[in-house]
Structure formats: structure tokens, C-alpha cells
């Protein structure tokens, strides 16, 4: 029996690999889905396409970003290790991993892909 795309993606995350699919026409696909596609692993470098700051009532502000990965797919995530207001469109980022949020259902919940700002050239 073939495993679900979600299970395959989670397995890659447990190995701290950001997996994505490539369709029959050679186009990158993300979020993984059922259908004819091959799996690849991203190098984890990208550019912030859009950024905002979430300010939950009673909680710490967090960044929310759309990242264009160098392999050609876009994903939603967050930037860690920087003040949320410091995250700008066009910033280069590198993949990192965060432990699952408290209250995750499964004991074996996979790490979550997040990003860190790359140092600016000449800085």
C-alpha cells in the first residue's frame, strides 16, 4: 500500500529534510499531494515573498511569511531568531527546524520547517 503524501512529508521532516514533489512536467509542487510525482529535498534557501506580524492576544508577536524556495515552490512558515518586525520582503532566509507546538496530537509529531534570516552581504 502506498503511503500518503502527508506521511512521506512528515518522515522527511523527522530527518530534518524539507521535501517537495515535482510533477510529470518537471514543475515543483508544494504542499505534497496524491498523484504522479517524484520526491526531492530542498537545499533550504529562499527569499521572503510576503511577511506580516501576528500579535496574538496575551502572546508574543511572531512573524508569518511566504517564502519562495530556490527550487521554485512557495510555502508558508515563520522566521525565528529575529524580531518579527525585522523580517522584510526580499530578505534571504535559510531553513531551520522547530519542535512541534505544545499540545501536538501525536507523540511522534515531526519537527516543523521554519526559517532564519541570512546575514546581509557586507554586514
Amino acid at each position: 500500500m502506498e503511503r500518503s503524501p502527508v506521511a512521506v512529508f512528515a518522515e522527511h521532516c523527522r530527518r530534518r529534510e524539507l521535501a517537495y514533489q515535482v510533477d510529470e512536467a518537471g514543475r515543483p509542487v508544494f504542499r505534497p499531494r496524491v498523484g504522479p510525482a517524484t520526491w526531492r529535498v530542498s537545499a533550504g534557501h529562499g527569499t521572503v515573498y510576503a511577511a506580516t506580524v501576528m500579535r496574538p492576544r496575551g502572546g508574543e508577536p511572531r512573524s508569518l511569511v511566504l517564502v519562495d524556495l530556490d527550487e521554485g515552490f512557495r510555502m508558508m512558515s515563520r522566521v525565528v531568531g529575529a524580531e518579527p518586525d525585522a523580517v522584510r520582503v526580499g530578505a534571504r532566509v535559510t531553513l531551520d527546524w522547530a519542535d512541534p507546538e505544545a499540545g501536538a496530537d501525536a507523540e511522534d509529531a515531526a519537527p516543523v520547517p521554519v526559517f532564519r534570516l541570512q546575514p546581509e552581504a557586507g554586514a
Side-chain angles (χ1 to χ4, degrees):
M1 184 171 158
E2 189 173 335
R3 293 180 308 150
S4 76
V6 170
V8 174
F9 181 77
E11 181 180 306
H12 279 279
C13 287
R14 284 186 198 90
R15 292 192 305 255
R16 297 185 184 272
E17 297 174 339
L18 178 57
Y20 66 101
Q21 294 172 310
V22 176
D23 68 16
E24 291 177 316
R27 295 177 299 238
V29 176
F30 191 85
R31 286 296 266 178
R33 55 199 71 164
V34 174
T38 57
W39 286 92
R40 295 202 183 144
V41 174
S42 170
H45 302 288
T47 303
V48 175
Y49 174 81
T52 192
V53 178
M54 299 183 314
R55 291 182 170 83
R57 184 176 303 165
E60 293 295 316
R62 298 187 339 175
S63 69
L64 179 64
V65 294
L66 290 175
V67 174
D68 284 341
L69 278 292
D70 291 351
E71 291 83 2
F73 65 94
R74 181 176 293 157
M75 68 178 289
M76 185 179 288
S77 185
R78 59 190 170 103
V79 172
V80 297
E83 289 297 320
D85 290 317
V87 179
R88 301 276 182 249
V89 170
R92 292 290 293 170
V93 291
T94 301
L95 178 66
D96 200 352
W97 295 92
D99 291 328
E101 300 270 332
D105 292 336
E107 287 179 11
D108 61 345
V112 177
V114 295
F115 292 88
R116 289 191 179 272
L117 293 175
Q118 290 181 4
E120 292 184 32

